[in-house]
Amino acid sequence: MPAEIDVAVIGAGVIGLATAGEIAQGRDEVFVFEKNRTFGLETSSRNSEVIHAGIYYPEGSLKAKLCIEGKNMLYELCGKHNIGCRKLSKIIVAEDQNEVTWLEGLYEQGTKNGVNDLALLSRTEVKKLEPNIEATAGLLSPSSGIFDSHGLLKFLYGQARERGTQFVFGTEVIGIERTGGKYRIQIRDRDGISDVVAGVILNCAGLNSDRIAQLAGIDIAKTGYRLHYCKGEYFSLDSKYRNMVSRLIYPAPEQAGHGIHWRQTLDGRVLLGPSAHYVEGIDYAVDETHKQYFYDSTKRFLRFIELEDLVPESAGIRPKLQGPEDDFRDFVITHEEKAGFPGLINLIGIESPGLTAALAIARYVGRMMS
Ligand SMILES: Cc1cc2nc3c(=O)[nH]c(=O)nc-3n(C[C@H](O)[C@H](O)[C@H](O)COP(=O)(O)OP(=O)(O)OC[C@H]3O[C@@H](n4cnc5c(N)ncnc54)[C@H](O)[C@@H]3O)c2cc1C
């Protein structure tokens, strides 16, 4: 590796991969530093693989704009490059009158955001589309879907490499220091500690992105960049349920997530999740004692499931800017020039819909740098 490079991207999750590929065009040295042995081993491979429509987020927020833009880009890319994907649509279900009112609000919100194909459904209409689902009312989102996230990660990795990006795996960024208008980055790999100077840093470090900002000298308490971890667990369902429901089914959401939902994978397996509870550290074990909670949360709209058919599956951790009691927080995608850090671009709090929005986020960062 040269002693000096143009751009250092920290993290090879979907955001680092997409962004590195986007900005590599026309630049000499773009290096991606990734602490794991390869790309995409953290949040980018521990999620629902759902292409979100862009309904839930406040109008004008980055989450709303980049989700809708990213969704369209993602469907196009998957179609063009043979990455598995199905626009199977989703129904968000309401049980009581409070939830029906909330659903109507969601319809308004989504429509304001530019999701123009939403439809409110009566109980009979829900039954007609999904005979095995119980609901007082529903909201149909035809543009929601599922896709092969690993296929996307592999494609983005290949594309970034083709465009000249270099990947340095097994290498953790442990220090950042300003030096002559650039950044001296301290890295640790199996040979020890060394450093490299970069003109630009893209902080795409997911669950560590607040710490990377702090290493660079940003006061994360003052800027509100400190992350809270919110764990989401999944349980799988027995194969006998495979053909019971053909769409994604979501309930009224819990405060920190979109609620425990029913989803199919591209190979036809059925999963329930993710749950949402705040945790202190990173631990991907699924607590089997949560089974009853999963069952109780979903039984009200999936009357046919049996407790013994739920099996612990996997878990992921959301890098959330909002704590348990906080209001909505948007993605942070900021060039920290005004804070006195020209060339440092922070991407913090890239939780859901980060996967859906990844291609649009990359384009947004590309524009910031041009
Ligand atoms: C339970 C759950 C369900 C979700 N479901 C969906 C969904 O259905 N649809 C959707 O659109 N989004 C979903 N998301 C959100 C989506 O998964 C994330 O927004 C996205 O994967 C974030 O990607 P990333 O690249 O920012 O983070 P990551 O994939 O975590 O990548 C960050 C990388 O940075 C590396 N790194 C960290 N620190 C350092 C360091 N110091 N030095 C070097 N490397 C470092 C890490 O090793 C990691 O590889 C979900 C998230 C969760 C947790």
Side-chain angles (χ1 to χ4, degrees), residues 4 18 44 48 54-55 87 96 111 114 116 144 170-171 256 289 333 357 364:
E4 200 164 325
S44 297
S48 300
I55 307 168
K87 201 185 269 188
D96 55 28
T111 307
N116 295 321
S144 304
T171 304
T289 65
I333 307 178
Y364 185 80

Side-chain angles (χ1 to χ4, degrees), residues 234-238 241 260 272 288 290-296 298 305-313:
Y234 296 91
F235 279 73
S236 61
L237 275 180
D238 191 276
Y241 296 109
I260 294 183
L272 299 180
E288 193 157 1
H290 293 166
K291 184 169 164 165
Q292 184 72 43
Y293 168 72
F294 271 69
Y295 175 75
D296 293 341
T298 49
I305 60 170
E306 300 296 339
L307 181 64
E308 61 271 19
D309 292 332
L310 274 72
V311 178
E313 165 80 19

Side-chain angles (χ1 to χ4, degrees), residues 11 15 34-36 44 47-48 50 173 208 234 350-351 354 356:
I15 303 300
E34 168 54 57
K35 66 181 167 58
N36 293 326
S44 297
N47 54 67
S48 300
V50 168
V173 170
N208 274 334
Y234 296 91
I350 312 297
E351 54 163 330
T356 309

Side-chain angles (χ1 to χ4, degrees), residues 9-17 33-36 38-52 57 67 74 145 147 153 168 171-174 187 203-209 212 215 230-234 250 258 261 263 273-275 284 315-319 331 347 349-358 361:
V9 178
I10 307 173
V14 71
I15 303 300
L17 293 173
F33 298 96
E34 168 54 57
K35 66 181 167 58
N36 293 326
T38 188
F39 59 87
L41 294 184
E42 303 212 348
T43 311
S44 297
S45 54
R46 298 181 160 277
N47 54 67
S48 300
E49 298 186 295
V50 168
I51 301 181
H52 288 299
Y57 324 103
C67 181
L74 189 52
F147 80 114
L153 293 168
V168 195
T171 304
E172 185 179 5
V173 170
I174 56 168
I187 50 183
N203 171 12
C204 305
L207 293 163
N208 274 334
S209 52
I212 293 291
L215 282 183
C230 181
K231 185 166 178 176
E233 297 177 325
Y234 296 91
Y250 281 54
H258 294 322
H261 52 263
R263 77 167 158 110
S275 51
Y284 294 119
I317 296 180
R318 303 170 180 87
F331 293 150
L347 293 99
I350 312 297
E351 54 163 330
S352 190
L355 205 52
T356 309
I361 290 175

